[in-house]
Amino acid sequence: MSEALTIQGEPQLARRLREAAGRDALGHALIFSGRGDLAGAARFAAAAMECQGGDRPCGQCPPCRKVLRGIHPDVTAVEDPHHKSISVEVLRGVVADAWVLPNEGRRKIYLFPDCGLLEPRAQNVLLKVLEDGPPHAAFLLCAANSAALLPTIRSRAEEWRLSPTQETDGADPRARQLCELLCRRQPADVAAFCARLEGGKLGREELRALLSDARDLTAAGLAAACGAGGDELSCRLAAALGGPGLSAAAEIFDTYIRMCAYNIGVGHVTGALAAALTGVSEQPPGRRR
């Protein structure tokens, strides 16, 4: 049964990936970041891309089984056991191979289990195929912190972040403050907070990091809403917004995190963010716009 195939500790991420695969909306470059089984999440996505079943990934068709066993001829884990970092020569080989048509699958997929091993020079080699590569090629990039990747790489990829652990004390205090305001369900306070962010002259990377922490906090709240427990803030978020509201908030943060990768003014991002978040805080718990 396809329901048995998931990502360890990440049922919500598995559901979102499966929904995207069903719409043929998994792009040519995906970043898996955060804590947890990043490589497992990437392999789940690779199986979804190659799956021939009706609920992708079904986990039962031959392509799915091959991907999950690591023997699919069109899914390659990019590693370099002979060097501390993945060499430029290995990346050039990937770029050349990407133009070769798949042997038997829907796509040619390159899985990078640890992007911390990609030095900037090597990433620039990869950038060329991300910018203008063949439509059948896909690149799945695992990075605990997506900041390990060049902004030019991140701007051409879609980030899928694994949920944080339930310990959230290390989050940016401003991210915690924003989530506290969401708990109070006062839209005007949320809008005022976003206006203060704009006035604080944040750079796009600082705003991106703040929003990433806020997204992690809402993900922890969502886990608490699903019965996984959590710290005080996670439980209050769960009680105030409910699962649907927290899912909506997490998706909003994801959207504006991606916007920060582009050359868009911080004021534009915070203004649009305020409008989106006030919409969430206005909804009764358990309802979603």
Side-chain angles (χ1 to χ4, degrees), residues 149-168:
L149 294 164
L150 295 173
T152 47
I153 296 280
R154 298 199 303 267
S155 68
R156 289 161 175 80
E158 181 178 358
E159 185 172 354
W160 295 76
R161 190 170 177 85
L162 274 67
S163 300
T165 60
Q166 298 309 303
E167 178 57 55
T168 61

Side-chain angles (χ1 to χ4, degrees), residues 236-276:
R236 286 196 288 113
L237 280 166
L241 297 179
L246 285 165
S247 292
E251 290 176 9
I252 288 167
F253 287 130
D254 275 332
T255 296
Y256 292 101
I257 288 167
R258 290 194 295 271
M259 286 183 67
C260 288
Y262 296 92
N263 189 23
I264 299 174
V266 168
H268 176 82
V269 175
T270 54
L273 175 69

